[in-house]
Structure formats: structure tokens, C-alpha cells
């Protein structure tokens, strides 16, 4: 009898304890989720804030900048900045050239990095580890180290003296797409070591059964590669393609190195303010006109918006390929 | 038949050849556009280079270019040291912040996908020309500093108050340099956040590969959250800390806003002193390699590999 009563009492005590434990637990969880929300919103704000400032400045008139009562929401709404930036960046031309350049390079890089990544993932050959180490080394060496030889290489282009023997002079490949094509096709473009690494990790993680079945059915290595392995690699390839497209789009290093006359967006944006001030100067019959810092920064912001709008549109639609890429790539599985 | 089979390759040999065929593009690129230019740039750094109509002319200059970098040029040493100290202060902040952000994003909450997309946005938007323009932009810097002022001195409702924090830390009698580091981190938050997009995702992917059974076992044994973090999460994620430190170091060294990078570009294309540009590029490269080596050496000592 007493033992039963004891048991009942124990049960009620434990129930009480449980309830208070749970309410404490709930409370802590609630507190944490509030703190977490504040933190996440705060960090998002830090990231998005410059974008908002850029946009709000780009639709203001210059006098709004000097007006203390104006913050973020312009008093004098105008699209004139966009007009100026559009004209002096020669936006349609720069846009088309950039699209061509980025598409070309990212397609070439995609092809070469996929092939090379597959080669490293699935075949054994002498010096493989050394060569793969060099893939990583390419990532580490800053491109500025080999900048001048590359520049001269393409300025006086020659293949073992064949071209100069045939035509009497070397080729000047600057201001054309050729340096980009050659570098991309050989996996030496911007951050290509990273893409090779990603593709290699992906292929290493792919199941071998399909491949073996294809070999047994008599398919050669290349046929197996594009009939069996490529379809499974498409999401990863989209990721590589997008990364290389986006990074090529804003790249200043190679575009200022190889292109002076060929007009692409990065060069257009960085020469926007000098161009505008030059145009004003020649309108003033040659008297040098300097733009006010506020106005030039306004133009820069407007130009930046024009450059990033295509990227934002791409990101809106393909966001998961960027974000999920690293999770799927097995990058973390070293 | 017998004679023929002697010349026939083994299966391994065949596979090796196919492998070489797959990596052929890379091999060509490696020699033509990497190793050859690399050697050339070493040679250039010991010469004065003049571009002529048909090619270029080298005149031997010995160690002059290096001497100029270290003893004549008034800026190089200062800029090199500055960019290295900048890197040393930034990288730990970036790695800590990205780890923190990854643990935040690893939890279930509403709008997680959106937050993840926003956290990754800087990888796409603050690259190349955008970051270069942003850096030289007066208005944006002003807006940013006024925003920081607001956050630090302004309304009582503001969450982060670096001034208050500074006073609080001063009372704890910590090293003032340490306090400066922490408050400096708050002032630098934008740079740190924008530089950690890729690292956040790497950590996030790592956190998701930790098997839940480890945590379950720890809970059964009565481990607290603190213990779970230091005994499970931290060791399991430590290889990725190494990866992210290496990535952040390289990223901070090769960013277009990096002053040494700009100096190398300027020396080559504004002043046309190609030899000098190659020389400082090499000095810089060797400095990077040293720092990377030291960092990897230190960190890989306590990295835990499960295998």
C-alpha cells in the first residue's frame, strides 16, 4: 500500500519536474530564437545596406546629397544619373562585349575544367599527385607574379617561332578575345584551379558502377565520359559555369591587362568618371573641369548598379546552384 | 601474335594514357601559361626590361630591382608590412565570424534559405571592379561611417555600443591592444562580413556532415552544450578551419583592393618598369608563401582527422 503511494508521489513529482523543466527549456529556446533572429537580421542588414545606399544615391539629384534632411529617400527624384552613366559607359556596347566575353570564357573554362577534373578523379598515371599539387599551386600564386610575361606573351604571340617564320612578324593578340580563349581552354583562367578541384571532388564521389557497366558494354573512355558521367555532373557544371561567368563579369585584372580598346563593363565602370569630366572639359572649351567628389561618387554608384543588375537577376534565379554547390561538391570531404 | 603482344600496352598503361589525354589541356596550360611565365618573371626581376616594336630587350641589372624595393622605394616596405598586418588581423576575425554565422544558419528557423542567400551575396557582388570602386567611393564610406557612428554613439536602442563595450573592457584591465582589436572588429564588420561568404558555406557544409549519432551519444552520457561544442563540433570541424584559414589568407592577398597588388600593377603599366614590378611581385609572393607555411604549420598540429 505504502509502496504504491510512494510510487504515485514519485510520479507526480517527476511530472512536475518535467513540466518545469520543459517550460524552462521552452523559454530558453524562445529567448535563443529571438536573439538569433536579431543577429541574422543584423548581419543581413550589414550586407544589404551598401546596396540600398547605392540605389538611393543613384536616383537622387546632386543637391540632395548636400541636404541634411535627405536620408535614403530622395527629395528630387531623377533618372538623370542613369542617363549619364548609360551614355558615358557606352552601356549597350560594353554590355554586349561583356556578355560575349563572359560566355566565351566560362564555356571554355567549363569544358576544360570538367575534362581535367575527370582525368584527375578517375585515372591513375605517373606524377598524378605532383600535377594535382600544381593545380593547388596555381590557386596560391597571385596572378600578378606572372602578369608581365603573360602580357608580353600575348603582345608578341608566337608558337615556337612558326608564326614569325611564316608571316615575318609576331601576332598581337591584345584587345581581342584570344588571350581569354587560350587561357580558359587550358584551364589557366581566373580561379580555374578551384573549378578543377570542385569537378575532381565531384567525380571522385560519383558511383563507379555505371562507368564499369559502360566499359563492359564496350564503350571507350570518352564515350563513357560524355554518355554516362556528364549527365550526373550537370548540376556541378552549372555551378562552375555560374561562378566563372560572374567572376569574369566583374574581373578587372585580366580585362585591364589584355583589353584597352575592347570595351567591357569593368573598364567602362572604372573609366566612367574620367570620361564624364573629360566630356565636360571639352564642352568648356578645354578648361579642365573636375567633378565634385559627391557627384563622381554618385556616378560611380549608378554605374555599379548598372553593372550588378544582371548579376542580381542571375543570382535570383540560380541562387541554389551557388549556395548548395559547396555542400554538394564534397569539398569538405578533402 | 606473340611479338605483337610485347608492344601492346597493359591495361594500366592504357588507362594512364587516357588519363593524360583528359588532363592534356591543363598540361599545356601549365607549361605554356604558368611555369614558363613564372620562370620568365624570375629572370625579368633580375633585369631591366624595355619593350620595343618587335619584342623586348633585357639588360642585366643584378639585384638592383630588389635593392630598389627595399631601400629606395619609400612606399614598398610600408605597404608590404601594412598589408600583412591587415591580413593577420582580418583572417582570424573572418574565420571566427564565418564559423559563428555557419552555426546560426545550421539551425532550423523561418527564412533560413533567404538568410543563406543573403550571406552569400557578397561573393558575387563585392568582387573585382565593384569592390575597387566601392573602396574609393567617398559617399559610401561616409554613409558607412555615419551608420557605424549611429550604431555606436547614437540611439539608446542600438544593440552594439562599441564605446560602452570599450569602457566595459577597459574595466576588466585587459591589454589595451586586445581591446582595440575587438572594438576594431566591430568597426570593420562590413569588410569582415563581405569577405566570409565562401567560408560560411564551407563551415555549413562541414557542420551538416557531422553525424547526429555523435551528439545523441553525448546527450545520453549527459554532456552539456558547452561540452558538445568543444568535444564534438570543434574537433570535427577543425580540418575545415585549416581550409578556411588558407582560403582567407589567399583571398585577402589577392583581392583587387590589396595595395601591394595595385603597386605591382602601377609599376608595370604606369611607370613601365617591368623588371621592378616582377621583383616586387616575387618578394610579395615569397612573403605570402612564408605566412601560409607558418599558418598551416601551426594549425595542422591540432587539426583532428577522423580516419
Amino acid at each position: 500500500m505504502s509502496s504504491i503511494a510512494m510510487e504515485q508521489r514519485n510520479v507526480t513529482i517527476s511530472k512536475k519536474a518535467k513540466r518545469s523543466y520543459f517550460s524552462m527549456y521552452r523559454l530558453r529556446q524562445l529567448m535563443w530564437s529571438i536573439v538569433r533572429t536579431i543577429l541574422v537580421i543584423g548581419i543581413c542588414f550589414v550586407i544589404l545596406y551598401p546596396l540600398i545606399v547605392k540605389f538611393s544615391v543613384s536616383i537622387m539629384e546632386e543637391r540632395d546629397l548636400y541636404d541634411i534632411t535627405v536620408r535614403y529617400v530622395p527629395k528630387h527624384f531623377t533618372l538623370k544619373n542613369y542617363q549619364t552613366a548609360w551614355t558615358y559607359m557606352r552601356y549597350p556596347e560594353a554590355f554586349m562585349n561583356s556578355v560575349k566575353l563572359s560566355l566565351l570564357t566560362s564555356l571554355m573554362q567549363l569544358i576544360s575544367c570538367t575534362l581535367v577534373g575527370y582525368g584527375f578523379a578517375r585515372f591513375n598515371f605517373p606524377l598524378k599527385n605532383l600535377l594535382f599539387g600544381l593545380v593547388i599551386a596555381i590557386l596560391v600564386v597571385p596572378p600578378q607574379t606572372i602578369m608581365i610575361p603573360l602580357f608580353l606573351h600575348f603582345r608578341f604571340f608566337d608558337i615556337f617561332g612558326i608564326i614569325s617564320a611564316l608571316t615575318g612578324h609576331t601576332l598581337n593578340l591584345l584587345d581581342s578575345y584570344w588571350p581569354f580563349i587560350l587561357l580558359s581552354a587550358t584551364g589557366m583562367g581566373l580561379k580555374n584551379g578551384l573549378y578543377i578541384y570542385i569537378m575532381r571532388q565531384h567525380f571522385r564521389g560519383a558511383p563507379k558502377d555505371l562507368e564499369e557497366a559502360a566499359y563492359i558494354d564496350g564503350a571507350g573512355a570518352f564515350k563513357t565520359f560524355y554518355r554516362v558521367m556528364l549527365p550526373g555532373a550537370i548540376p556541378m557544371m552549372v555551378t562552375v559555369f555560374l561562378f566563372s561567368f560572374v567572376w569574369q563579369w566583374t574581373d578587372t585584372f585580366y580585362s585591364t591587362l589584355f583589353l584597352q580598346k575592347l570595351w567591357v563593363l569593368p573598364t567602362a565602370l572604372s573609366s566612367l568618371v574620367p570620361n564624364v569630366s573629360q566630356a565636360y572639359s571639352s564642352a568648356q572649351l578645354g578648361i579642365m573641369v573636375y567633378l565634385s567628389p559627391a557627384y563622381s561618387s554618385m556616378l560611380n554608384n549608378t554605374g555599379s548598379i548598372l553593372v550588378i543588375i544582371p548579376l542580381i537577376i542571375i543570382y535570383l534565379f540560380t541562387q541554389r546552384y551557388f549556395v548548395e554547390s559547396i555542400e554538394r561538391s564534397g569539398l569538405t570531404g578533402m | 601474335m606473340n611479338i605483337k603482344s610485347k608492344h601492346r600496352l597493359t591495361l594500366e598503361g592504357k588507362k594512364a594514357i587516357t588519363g593524360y589525354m583528359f588532363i592534356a589541356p591543363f598540361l599545356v596550360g601549365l607549361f605554356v601559361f604558368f611555369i614558363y611565365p613564372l620562370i620568365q618573371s624570375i629572370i625579368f626581376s633580375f633585369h631591366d626590361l624595355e619593350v620595343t616594336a618587335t619584342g623586348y630587350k633585357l639588360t642585366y641589372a643584378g639585384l638592383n630591382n630588389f635593392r630598389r624595393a627595399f631601400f629606395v622605394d619609400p612606399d614598398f616596405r610600408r605597404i608590404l608590412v601594412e598589408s600583412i598586418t591587415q591580413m593577420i588581423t582580418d583572417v582570424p576575425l573572418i574565420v571566427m565570424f564565418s564559423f559563428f554565422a555557419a552555426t546560426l544558419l545550421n539551425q532550423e528557423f523561418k527564412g533560413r534559405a533567404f538568410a543563406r542567400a543573403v550571406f552569400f551575396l557578397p561573393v558575387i557582388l563585392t568582387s573585382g571592379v565593384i569592390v575597387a570602386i566601392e573602396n574609393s567611393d567617398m559617399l559610401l564610406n561616409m554613409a558607412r561611417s555615419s551608420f557605424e557612428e549611429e550604431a555606436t554613439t547614437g540611439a539608446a536602442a542600438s544593440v552594439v555600443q562599441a564605446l560602452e563595450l570599450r569602457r566595459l573592457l577597459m574595466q576588466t584591465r585587459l591589454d589595451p591592444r586586445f581591446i582595440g582589436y575587438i572594438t576594431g572588429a566591430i568597426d570593420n564588420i562590413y569588410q569582415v562580413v563581405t569577405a566570409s561568404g565562401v567560408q560560411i558555406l564551407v563551415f555549413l557544409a562541414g557542420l551538416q556532415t557531422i553525424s547526429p549519432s555523435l551528439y545523441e551519444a553525448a546527450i545520453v552520457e549527459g554532456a552539456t552544450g558547452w561540452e558538445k561544442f568543444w568535444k564534438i563540433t570543434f574537433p570535427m570541424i577543425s580540418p575545415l578551419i585549416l581550409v578556411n584559414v588558407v582560403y582567407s589568407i589567399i583571398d585577402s592577398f589577392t583581392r583587387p583592393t590589396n595595395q601591394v597588388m595595385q603597386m605591382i600593377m602601377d609599376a608595370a603599366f604606369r611607370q613601365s618598369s617591368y623588371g621592378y614590378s616582377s621583383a616586387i611581385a616575387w618578394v610579395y609572393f615569397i612573403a605570402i608563401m612564408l605566412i601560409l607555411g607558418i599558418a598551416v604549420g601551426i594549425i595542422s598540429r591540432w587539426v583532428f582527422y577522423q580516419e
Side-chain angles (χ1 to χ4, degrees):
Chain A
M1 186 68 193
S2 66
S3 71
I4 292 170
M6 281 283 276
E7 245 170 50
Q8 268 179 341
R9 228 180 88 210
N10 274 347
V11 167
T12 46
I13 286 172
S14 70
K15 255 186 188 167
K16 255 186 194 165
K18 227 178 191 173
R19 200 176 300 136
S20 70
Y21 173 72
F22 265 111
S23 64
M24 273 303 288
Y25 182 72
R26 284 250 177 81
L27 193 71
R28 260 165 62 187
Q29 262 201 333
L30 188 73
M31 290 295 287
W32 171 234
S33 77
I34 291 170
V35 172
R36 185 176 55 204
T37 316
I38 292 170
L39 282 171
V40 168
I41 291 175
I43 297 170
C44 286
F45 180 70
V46 168
I47 292 168
L48 294 176
Y49 179 72
L51 266 182
I52 298 165
V53 171
K54 261 190 204 128
F55 181 71
S56 81
V57 164
S58 75
I59 52 171
M60 281 180 191
E61 274 180 31
E62 198 185 346
R63 54 185 157 154
D64 280 4
L65 294 178
Y66 305 123
D67 190 341
I68 264 179
T69 57
V70 172
R71 285 210 92 162
Y72 312 128
V73 184
K75 245 183 205 167
H76 308 277
F77 172 80
T78 175
L79 287 175
K80 217 175 136 259
N81 293 321
Y82 282 98
Q83 262 173 13
T84 319
W86 185 279
T87 328
Y88 288 98
M89 278 169 84
R90 285 187 271 145
Y91 191 75
E93 188 194 339
F95 181 81
M96 283 320 289
N97 281 340
S98 265
V99 168
K100 265 189 247 165
L101 180 67
S102 300
L103 272 183
L104 204 64
T105 51
S106 43
L107 271 178
M108 300 297 276
Q109 289 177 3
L110 177 65
I111 294 169
S112 63
C113 293
T114 312
L115 281 173
V116 174
Y118 183 68
F120 275 119
R122 275 295 197 264
F123 296 96
N124 273 319
F125 41 84
L127 301 179
K128 180 176 159 179
N129 289 335
L130 175 76
L131 288 171
F132 192 68
L134 284 167
V135 173
I136 306 300
I138 290 169
L139 275 175
V140 181
V141 176
Q144 273 80 352
T145 317
I146 56 169
M147 167 182 81
I148 291 159
L150 273 185
F151 176 78
L152 294 170
H153 215 49
F154 289 113
R155 172 67 188 79
F156 307 105
F157 189 74
D158 210 341
I159 307 165
F160 304 123
I162 299 169
I163 292 173
S164 56
L166 285 178
T167 59
H169 55 82
T170 52
L171 287 175
N172 179 3
L173 293 185
L174 298 182
D175 274 319
S176 72
Y177 294 125
W178 279 106
F180 294 93
I181 293 174
L182 289 172
L183 284 176
S184 306
T186 54
M188 287 295 138
L190 195 67
K191 303 201 181 182
N192 276 15
L194 183 66
Y195 309 146
I196 293 176
Y197 186 76
I198 291 177
M199 289 316 294
R200 178 240 193 195
Q201 290 298 94
H202 171 80
F203 283 123
R204 264 188 18 158
K208 277 190 176 161
D209 313 4
L210 279 174
E211 249 175 322
E212 275 157 11
Y215 280 134
I216 287 166
D217 287 345
F222 285 94
K223 200 170 183 186
T224 314
F225 171 65
Y226 75 77
R227 295 295 284 273
V228 178
M229 294 310 285
L230 272 193
I234 281 174
M236 215 63 238
M237 287 165 72
V238 173
T239 302
V240 166
F241 178 80
L242 287 171
F243 265 116
S244 78
F245 187 90
V246 161
W247 276 335
Q248 183 62 52
W249 188 264
T250 54
D251 166 60
T252 43
F253 176 69
Y254 285 110
S255 41
T256 46
L257 187 60
F258 296 137
L259 307 173
Q260 269 110 42
K261 282 173 230 132
L262 197 73
W263 196 244
V264 288
L265 281 175
T267 39
L269 178 56
S270 36
S271 54
L272 170 64
V273 170
N275 278 355
V276 173
S277 81
Q278 210 172 25
Y280 282 10
S281 306
S282 54
Q284 297 287 317
L285 301 170
I287 305 160
M288 196 57 201
V289 175
Y290 292 99
L291 302 183
S292 73
Y295 185 58
S296 55
S297 126
M298 214 158 148
L299 283 178
N300 274 338
N301 281 319
T302 317
S304 307
I305 294 274
L306 282 176
V307 173
I308 41 184
I309 276 179
L311 296 185
I312 291 180
I313 292 169
I314 291 175
Y315 189 62
L316 280 181
F317 289 104
T318 58
Q319 180 258 113
R320 70 192 182 90
Y321 284 105
F322 284 102
V323 175
E324 286 166 18
S325 61
I326 296 175
E327 282 166 37
R328 261 191 283 112
S329 68
L331 190 83
T332 52
M334 290 315 279
Chain B
M1 198 61 200
N2 220 354
I3 298 161
K4 214 180 171 185
S5 72
K6 245 186 197 170
H7 293 280
R8 196 176 280 169
L9 284 163
T10 57
L11 185 63
E12 265 174 34
K14 260 187 198 165
K15 277 217 144 190
I17 287 178
T18 336
Y20 276 125
M21 272 155 83
F22 271 108
I23 65 160
F26 172 74
L27 282 181
V28 173
L30 182 71
F31 286 107
V32 179
F33 299 122
F34 187 72
I35 291 179
Y36 180 59
L38 206 62
I39 293 167
Q40 263 188 321
S41 108
I42 299 178
I43 296 170
F44 289 171
S45 66
F46 291 103
H47 289 78
D48 282 329
L49 189 144
E50 246 180 279
V51 176
T52 58
T54 53
Y56 53 87
K57 211 176 70 194
L58 292 173
T59 35
Y60 185 68
L63 285 172
N64 274 348
N65 287 323
F66 293 96
R67 222 170 277 150
R68 183 175 152 195
F70 283 110
F71 302 116
V72 182
D73 196 315
D75 292 329
F76 179 69
R77 274 190 305 180
R78 179 178 59 82
I79 288 178
L80 184 69
V81 171
E82 266 176 18
S83 93
I84 289 172
T85 37
Q86 178 74 30
M87 190 280 305
I88 291 171
T89 49
D90 276 359
V91 167
L93 288 178
I94 290 169
V95 173
M96 281 190 281
F97 171 77
S98 50
F99 187 73
F100 174 69
T103 36
L104 273 185
L105 289 179
N106 196 32
Q107 296 168 348
E108 291 292 331
F109 58 90
K110 258 186 199 165
R112 178 167 167 255
F114 173 78
R116 210 168 48 162
V118 172
F119 280 31
F120 194 65
L121 196 64
V123 177
I124 290 151
L125 293 189
T126 55
S127 57
V129 67
I130 305 294
V131 80
I133 287 280
E134 238 176 46
N135 225 41
S136 63
D137 189 303
M138 184 204 82
L139 260 194
L140 212 58
N141 286 336
M142 252 169 52
R144 200 177 294 145
S145 63
S146 82
F147 156 64
E148 269 150 16
E149 254 168 46
E150 239 169 64
T152 51
T153 61
S158 64
V159 186
V160 188
Q161 294 202 324
L163 272 184
E164 281 300 312
L165 184 71
R166 192 167 300 174
R167 208 170 297 145
L168 199 78
L169 288 172
M170 284 294 185
Q171 281 169 0
T172 59
R173 298 186 199 286
L174 285 167
D175 190 341
R177 268 173 299 176
F178 179 71
I179 296 168
Y181 182 69
I182 291 190
T183 49
I186 295 168
D187 294 340
N188 251 344
I189 185 101
Y190 177 71
Q191 272 81 355
V192 171
V193 171
T194 51
S196 34
V198 171
Q199 291 89 322
I200 291 174
L201 286 193
V202 170
F203 274 139
L204 192 57
L207 287 174
Q208 283 167 359
T209 56
I210 300 175
S211 148
S213 63
L214 287 176
Y215 290 111
E216 280 159 20
I219 292 169
V220 169
E221 302 285 341
T224 58
W226 179 254
E227 282 167 335
K228 273 190 288 182
F229 175 78
W230 286 107
K231 299 276 158 75
I232 299 174
T233 315
F234 196 69
M236 293 297 281
I237 215 84
S238 61
L240 297 180
I241 293 178
L242 180 66
V243 170
N244 274 340
V245 167
V246 172
Y247 183 92
S248 310
I249 291 177
I250 295 170
D251 194 48
S252 100
F253 272 131
T254 51
R255 229 147 242 265
T257 48
N258 186 307
Q259 281 185 309
V260 183
M261 288 295 178
Q262 280 168 354
M263 225 184 140
I264 296 169
M265 294 288 269
D266 281 352
F269 297 110
R270 294 243 170 95
Q271 307 158 16
S272 300
S273 37
Y274 298 101
Y276 180 57
S277 169
S278 301
I280 55 178
W282 266 94
V283 171
Y284 189 48
F285 174 47
I286 290 166
I288 296 178
M289 290 319 278
L290 277 180
I291 288 168
L292 260 183
I294 293 168
V296 170
I298 293 171
I299 294 168
S300 52
R301 276 188 178 191
W302 50 261
V303 165
F304 169 80
Y305 290 101
Q306 207 181 4
E307 288 94 60

